[in-house]
Amino acid sequence: MAYENITTAQEERIHIITINRPKQLNALNKATIKELHEAMDAANKDASTRAIILTGTGEKAFVAGADIKEFSGYNVEQGQELAANGQEILFNFVHNLPTPVIAAVNGFALGGGLELAMASHMRVASDNAKLGLPEVSLGVIPGYGGTQRLTQLVGRGKAMELITTAGMIGAEEAQQWGLVNHVVAQDELMNLARKIASKICANSGSAIKSAIKAVNANFVDGLNGYNVEITEFGNCFGTEEFKEGTSAFLEKRKPDFK
Ligand code: DAK
């Protein structure tokens, strides 16, 4: 499929999606959000894809936020509509995707950019990365789940500080906060993301899907995550991959998850 604002590449079982609007520091406009949804959906439905890496073009920005030019003219209804639609088709969609998404944060991850990284299942960053939610400096608040996901990841106090000061933190501090898992030099970033993705690819895709569901249940009001875990654990026993994984162990060979 041809896209205007992103590029995609398949490397064996790893699918790489790159946001490609370098002149706008990869800012997210409506069209890019739609393309990201389509690319994520297609990669997830492709049985040969076991992990997705999401990054931005260039060495300066992962995503410098929502496209300010585009949303500056919106009224209350349009703002609510865009937030609801964007949350549904991209941010919540990525959060709940059964295929793990690794955000490789290669520079600025601001506003909607940090929200997209936080919706991903895990984050790695280059040492020049700068992360923040500067929305209140523009007279809005994070509208793509940032108030919730940042609080879940770093706790209320740090989330309040980052959001209300509209400040930015560097990669090292983000790692100390638990906002990113690893920090490496820019030229090592994609290889680190590939290394993590390769480890994921060696494991059972159906078990990973169940694990994502169970972990995410921790953040859903009214849902008992332990019960979800029990259900998903039980479901694993009905899968071919459980048979393959356990047989391989008993036969002292590596499992071959199709
Ligand atoms: N949108 C559009 N263009 C952007 C952009 C953005 N977010 N960020 C940068 N650019 C463009 C700049 O306008 C500039 O374009 P030209 O002037 O060359 O045409 C080009 O990218 C290079 O940027 P700079 O010249 O500013 O580069 P610097 O190195 O000097 O500064 C910077 C880098 C990242 C510190 C700076 O560009 C910056 O502060 N950018 C804006 C960061 C920001 O405030 N991002 C928005 C956060 S708020 C919503 C839901 C969610 C949201 C909004 C609405 N609804 C549901 C309605 C979320 C909002 C946000 O994300």
Side-chain angles (χ1 to χ4, degrees), residues 23-25 27 60 64-69 71 74 79 82-83 108 110-112 115 134-135 138 143-144 168:
K23 286 187 185 151
Q24 294 84 9
L25 301 186
K60 191 166 174 183
D67 190 314
I68 299 173
K69 272 188 204 134
F71 75 73
Y74 283 2
L82 188 74
F108 288 110
L110 302 176
E115 289 174 302
E135 281 87 344
L138 297 167
Y144 289 135
M168 287 183 209

Side-chain angles (χ1 to χ4, degrees), residues 5-7 16-22 25-28 36 53-64 102-108 116 126 186 189-190:
N5 303 288
I6 62 173
T7 62
I16 301 178
I17 300 176
T18 306
I19 300 157
N20 189 29
R21 300 184 76 218
L25 301 186
N26 301 324
L28 296 176
L36 282 169
I53 298 173
L54 176 63
T55 192
T57 288
E59 300 196 341
K60 191 166 174 183
F62 172 69
V63 172
I102 303 167
V105 178
N106 56 307
F108 288 110
L116 183 57
S126 57
Q186 172 88 245
L189 181 66
M190 286 306 286

Side-chain angles (χ1 to χ4, degrees), residues 24 38 41 118 131 136 225 249:
Q24 294 84 9
E38 288 165 2
D41 192 34
M118 292 192 295
L131 302 89
V136 297
F249 178 81

Side-chain angles (χ1 to χ4, degrees), residues 150-212:
L150 185 64
T151 308
Q152 288 160 1
L153 283 164
V154 306
R156 182 167 176 264
K158 289 193 174 81
M160 285 289 190
E161 182 179 334
L162 199 65
I163 291 169
T164 59
T165 61
M168 287 183 209
I169 56 171
E172 301 287 346
E173 198 172 0
Q175 188 181 17
Q176 284 161 19
W177 282 25
L179 190 50
V180 303
N181 294 358
H182 306 279
V183 177
V184 289
Q186 172 88 245
D187 59 359
E188 290 168 29
L189 181 66
M190 286 306 286
N191 279 342
L192 171 66
R194 284 187 182 95
K195 210 166 143 189
I196 296 171
S198 297
K199 286 184 183 173
I200 291 169
C201 291
N203 296 321
S204 157
S206 58
I208 285 173
K209 182 177 170 180
S210 286
I212 288 174

